[in-house]
Amino acid sequence: MSDIKGIALGIDDFKTLIEENCYYVDKSKFIEEILKDKAGVKLFTRPRRFGKTLNMSMLRYFFDIKNAEENRSLFKELYIEKSPAIKEQGKYPVIFLSMKEIQGKNYEEIIERTRAFFKLLYNEYVMLRENLNQSELQDFDEIWLGKKNIDLSTALLKLSLYLKKYYNQKVIILIDEYDVPLMSAYENGCYDEVIQFFKILYGAVLKSNSNIKMGVLTGAIRVAQAGIFSDLNNLKINTIFNEAYDEYFGLSQKEVEDILRYYGMEYTITEVKSWYDGYKFGKAEVYNPWSILNYIDNKELKAYWINTSGNVLIKNLLLLSDGVVFDDLQNLVNGNERIVFINENIAFGNNLSPNHLWELLLFSGYLTVKEKMDDKTYLVKIPNKEILTFFKEMFVSIIFRGSSNIGDMKQALQSKNINHIINILEEVVVNAMSFYDTSKKYENSYQTLLSGFMYGLNSFYQVLPNVESGYGRADIILKPRNKNWAGYIFELKRANDNDMKMEAEKALNQIEDKKYDNILKNEEIKDIIKIGLVFKGKKVESSYSYEKNDFNVKN
């Protein structure tokens, strides 16, 4: 049908979405709620790709005094059109900033990008020059022309003053992805300098500024208030735990059912739910809208959501963690929950600690709340199949420094190149063992390490750590998803002061004696490769055998 609405992939500008006749899930009641909320400054933290930018763009076009009549038509037949709040439409000058591109490798580069950003921003308001006195005009032109060596930290404050003077109406400040420059600064080692600049920038325009009607900010995480918003006493923070506004970010069950029905795909709702549902904001259970739109467009159930923000933070926290953390991550991948303690702040700089790993994973969208136990304690889990896929790949990539080893491992396993398999595992131990405690008496840390690495093989092999088989529990079994591929059994030992080669033979004999291969034989896996691995610090010794069975295997 020619009148079917388009799918707004990559469109986060509200006006473009409406004018291009794209499918829009009506979130305009958000405007009404924003107006009812009398807090001077409101901060919303949600994971990336959950509609924050689109909502901020909607606020911009609703409130902006410029092109007010033209913008009013954008809200035709939406909830807000019949709300008493419609009288506020087109009433206020608006400053809208998306901080997504304010990133850099050092403090100077971030400031330079900020300078270029403000130059473009001021160019949108060049008509203000006609109403400025000589001093104001000089300040305006210095920023507008991108002059060097000027103080940019008051650029937003000055622009709000100029707008208030020009329109004789209070100004609305909308700052989207406020935390992106701070994340970039932390990742590149210039956080302390950058935080001071943005603390002044945001604080100057938002703190006790009688010229503004309200300020609205969005971000993925809540940076510790002492670091960025300590000067704001009029700030109201809304995180994923708050019930207010819980339905305005992400898609509800009904909204997903409606959009699937519109595109004739309602029959897939069960599968869609298992892949993309599972997030909990306040009391609302929501789907990831980015993934839903991509699924409808591609008609294929797979992982679409990619959240690179925070990955450097996650890596740094993993570097500070011990083997217990990786055991917890492994349990989450296996479908279990974990109790975590959350204080809703991420403290950067020297205050970063492994305790922040769980809240960073939660706020970034890798985990979701299953149950609230008390004000600071939550039971969390991986939300759905999509995130389970990324969860495995992300941690393999972070811990093992890229996916090249995983690609080589897949080829080595399928070609039964045993020497190459052992060399790869030895390389993993050498490169990644610093994540784990090698001083423990037993082999647990090595088992956790190699099991985590092998999760990257999930598409090809089911990783079974500590699985019961025969007369005991094998350390790691790789069960192939295609029965024509070889299955693998790994028994791990720590050599201590013993002869490593002798210990490797003992490990191999243990596989044979305890019949760990039963689980693979029961699955009629015809090729079974048994490998005994012995570790001493970062040194590895091995022994292996290859058993070929006579099952009549079909694909």
Side-chain angles (χ1 to χ4, degrees):
M1 294 175 60
S2 60
D3 59 345
I4 290 290
K5 291 182 180 292
I7 299 172
L9 279 177
I11 300 176
D12 52 19
D13 180 77
F14 178 77
K15 182 177 182 179
T16 302
L17 185 148
I18 297 298
E19 290 183 343
E20 292 295 321
N21 193 33
C22 294
Y23 190 101
Y24 176 63
V25 177
D26 187 357
K27 299 288 185 180
S28 63
K29 194 172 188 295
F30 180 58
I31 301 167
E32 186 180 78
E33 297 300 321
I34 284 283
L35 287 166
K36 288 178 182 177
D37 188 340
K38 299 305 179 183
V41 182
K42 309 161 186 63
L43 169 63
F44 298 92
T45 62
R46 297 292 188 278
R48 309 289 182 210
R49 303 290 194 180
F50 273 81
K52 298 190 302 296
T53 301
L54 183 58
N55 277 347
M56 292 286 271
S57 176
M58 176 180 67
L59 294 180
R60 173 191 186 181
Y61 288 111
F62 181 83
F63 288 116
D64 204 347
I65 200 168
K66 288 176 65 176
N67 305 315
E69 289 303 315
E70 177 185 336
N71 290 340
R72 191 180 186 94
S73 64
L74 301 176
F75 298 91
K76 185 178 180 181
E77 298 180 3
L78 297 183
Y79 170 89
I80 198 67
E81 185 183 35
K82 296 181 177 167
S83 165
I86 194 66
K87 68 179 184 297
E88 297 292 295
Q89 189 271 326
K91 188 175 175 181
Y92 304 94
V94 173
I95 300 175
F96 175 80
L97 306 95
S98 175
M99 310 301 285
K100 292 178 184 177
E101 305 305 320
I102 309 297
Q103 304 182 51
K105 296 178 181 178
N106 50 51
Y107 173 76
E108 290 74 21
E109 189 171 323
I110 289 174
I111 295 301
E112 191 55 40
R113 291 201 176 186
T114 304
R115 185 188 319 282
F117 179 79
F118 283 147
K119 180 179 178 179
L120 292 175
L121 178 66
Y122 267 55
N123 196 57
E124 294 180 26
Y125 302 98
V126 69
M127 77 287 186
L128 300 179
R129 297 178 76 251
E130 67 189 50
N131 204 38
L132 301 180
N133 61 38
Q134 186 174 350
S135 175
E136 293 169 336
L137 187 61
Q138 180 178 337
D139 288 347
F140 186 100
D141 286 352
E142 285 179 342
I143 298 170
W144 178 42
L145 298 174
K147 292 287 183 69
K148 305 285 187 178
N149 303 318
I150 62 170
D151 182 12
L152 295 173
S153 64
T154 57
L156 290 181
L157 172 62
K158 290 175 180 177
L159 187 56
S160 71
L161 297 176
Y162 304 153
L163 282 167
K164 170 64 165 58
K165 180 178 181 181
Y166 185 87
Y167 287 107
N168 195 28
Q169 184 62 272
K170 289 189 175 184
V171 180
I172 289 178
I173 311 289
L174 305 175
I175 303 176
D176 191 39
E177 307 288 14
Y178 88 95
D179 54 336
V180 169
L182 308 180
M183 298 280 281
S184 176
Y186 176 79
E187 292 171 7
N188 290 288
C190 55
Y191 178 78
D192 289 341
E193 294 174 288
V194 171
I195 189 69
Q196 289 305 313
F197 171 79
F198 282 97
K199 181 178 180 179
I200 297 172
L201 178 72
Y202 293 152
V205 71
L206 297 173
K207 180 187 178 183
S208 303
N209 183 354
S210 60
N211 295 289
I212 70 168
K213 167 73 173 177
M214 75 172 84
V216 183
L217 300 92
T218 70
I221 61 174
R222 172 182 171 180
V223 177
Q225 189 158 340
I228 185 67
F229 294 130
S230 57
D231 293 335
L232 298 184
N233 53 15
N234 58 342
L235 176 67
K236 180 177 180 180
I237 299 175
N238 186 283
T239 72
I240 60 173
F241 301 120
N242 298 107
E243 295 179 19
Y245 303 100
D246 58 5
E247 63 189 89
Y248 300 115
F249 300 92
L251 300 178
S252 69
Q253 179 72 26
K254 182 180 183 305
E255 288 168 341
V256 170
E257 290 174 358
D258 287 345
I259 192 171
L260 289 175
R261 188 177 303 110
Y262 180 83
Y263 289 103
M265 300 173 67
E266 63 272 20
Y267 60 92
T268 65
I269 185 62
T270 301
E271 293 84 358
V272 167
K273 186 175 180 65
S274 67
W275 268 89
Y276 308 119
D277 191 17
Y279 300 95
K280 192 171 184 181
F281 298 161
K283 288 188 175 180
E285 294 187 9
V286 298
Y287 289 73
N288 179 347
W290 173 255
S291 300
I292 294 297
L293 292 177
N294 274 276
Y295 166 66
I296 292 170
D297 190 51
N298 291 283
K299 297 179 174 56
E300 181 181 355
L301 288 162
K302 65 177 186 179
Y304 296 103
W305 182 82
I306 299 175
N307 184 4
T308 57
S309 65
N311 282 0
V312 172
L313 274 176
I314 291 170
K315 178 179 179 179
N316 289 344
L317 292 173
L318 287 170
L319 281 165
L320 296 171
S321 302
D322 57 24
V324 174
V325 169
F326 294 90
D327 289 339
D328 289 335
L329 295 175
Q330 183 174 306
N331 286 331
L332 286 165
V333 168
N334 289 337
N336 299 316
E337 296 90 26
R338 188 192 191 278
I339 295 174
V340 299
F341 301 93
I342 303 293
N343 66 14
E344 300 188 45
N345 284 315
I346 303 294
F348 290 95
N350 296 328
N351 295 321
L352 197 66
S353 77
N355 294 331
H356 290 117
L357 174 65
W358 305 109
E359 54 196 292
L360 183 61
L361 290 171
L362 186 60
F363 292 133
S364 298
Y366 292 110
L367 296 175
T368 192
V369 173
K370 181 179 180 181
E371 180 183 347
K372 179 178 179 179
M373 306 183 78
D374 60 39
D375 286 343
K376 297 291 183 182
T377 312
Y378 298 85
L379 192 64
V380 300
K381 65 175 183 175
I382 295 175
N384 51 47
K385 289 181 180 179
E386 179 179 48
I387 300 304
L388 180 61
T389 300
F390 280 128
F391 208 91
K392 294 174 182 178
E393 293 176 356
M394 180 187 68
F395 284 105
V396 168
S397 176
I398 288 173
I399 300 170
F400 305 106
R401 304 178 186 182
S403 58
S404 58
N405 280 345
I406 283 293
D408 290 346
M409 190 65 164
K410 289 174 182 176
Q411 293 181 0
L413 289 168
Q414 290 178 13
S415 63
K416 292 170 281 197
N417 188 339
I418 301 172
N419 288 327
H420 193 35
I421 292 168
I422 293 169
N423 288 338
I424 291 171
L425 294 179
E426 184 172 7
E427 185 179 346
V428 167
V429 170
V430 169
N431 289 336
M433 202 62 208
S434 59
F435 284 89
Y436 295 86
D437 181 4
T438 59
S439 65
K440 294 178 181 177
K441 181 178 179 182
Y442 302 107
E443 66 274 1
N444 304 56
S445 56
Y446 295 97
Q447 181 188 23
T448 303
L449 172 70
L450 296 184
S451 295
F453 171 70
M454 290 176 184
Y455 276 127
L457 304 166
N458 184 63
S459 299
F460 299 87
Y461 288 88
Q462 184 179 0
V463 182
L464 304 173
N466 284 323
V467 65
E468 188 172 343
S469 183
Y471 301 123
R473 291 182 178 273
D475 285 331
I476 303 172
I477 292 179
L478 295 182
K479 186 170 76 172
R481 299 194 181 277
N482 184 321
K483 291 183 180 180
N484 281 324
W485 301 339
Y488 291 83
I489 305 170
F490 297 89
E491 184 62 28
L492 315 179
K493 298 291 182 186
R494 185 184 287 270
N496 297 319
D497 296 326
N498 300 326
D499 179 82
M500 291 183 70
K501 187 63 179 177
M502 185 183 300
E503 290 299 306
E505 291 291 340
K506 287 182 180 179
L508 180 60
N509 290 335
Q510 182 174 326
I511 296 174
E512 299 283 2
D513 294 342
K514 295 198 173 183
K515 299 186 182 302
Y516 290 155
D517 56 1
N518 276 6
I519 193 170
L520 295 177
K521 288 181 176 179
N522 290 340
E523 295 287 332
E524 297 187 344
I525 305 301
K526 63 180 181 179
D527 293 346
I528 299 177
I529 295 172
K530 306 162 187 177
I531 301 176
L533 291 173
V534 173
F535 303 93
K536 190 173 185 178
K538 294 189 176 185
K539 295 180 180 179
V540 182
E541 185 60 75
S542 63
S543 183
Y544 61 84
S545 66
Y546 178 4
E547 176 182 341
K548 192 171 184 67
N549 297 295
D550 295 326
F551 303 119
N552 182 20
V553 179
K554 298 180 180 179
N555 284 329

